[in-house]
Amino acid sequence: MSSVHFLTATVDLLAQQVNITPEPPPGSQGLLKIVNWLSWFVMLAGIAALIYAGGKFAWERWHGGAVEAPKIVLGALVGGIIATSAGTIMTQITSAK
């Protein structure tokens, strides 16, 4: 039996015997409240970035300057997608079997 096969068989055996269920530690409600506030501020910053980019679009169009507003919009959209889906991503990673 090769060492890789032995290691794989050992990990499979341990995975069947160990049952781990995540549970928040005592007193974690305060930390969860801070995380919820932080996510709210991230979404607010994304909305502010989109409003700023809209104004910058108009300014660049009016004065014929360099086109930088699409980068701001793209950054705000990608950041918003990551921020709003972070909880779902972590749930899927931690519950994967």
Side-chain angles (χ1 to χ4, degrees):
M1 180 186 286
S2 70
S3 62
V4 173
H5 182 66
F6 177 74
L7 182 61
T8 305
T10 305
V11 169
D12 287 341
L13 181 64
L14 287 174
Q16 292 171 0
Q17 294 177 356
V18 176
N19 186 13
I20 298 174
T21 54
E23 181 179 316
S28 65
Q29 290 303 320
L31 180 62
L32 292 175
K33 184 181 253 186
I34 291 172
V35 169
N36 288 335
W37 288 350
L38 184 61
S39 67
W40 185 83
F41 283 120
V42 166
M43 285 188 253
L44 183 66
I47 292 168
L50 289 174
I51 293 170
Y52 172 75
K56 193 161 177 70
F57 264 130
W59 184 262
E60 290 169 354
R61 177 76 174 150
W62 185 263
H63 291 284
V67 181
E68 295 178 7
K71 293 183 228 173
I72 298 170
V73 171
L74 182 63
L77 292 176
V78 170
I81 290 169
I82 291 171
T84 56
S85 62
T88 306
I89 291 170
M90 287 307 297
T91 301
Q92 291 298 319
I93 290 172
T94 57
S95 67
K97 291 185 178 186

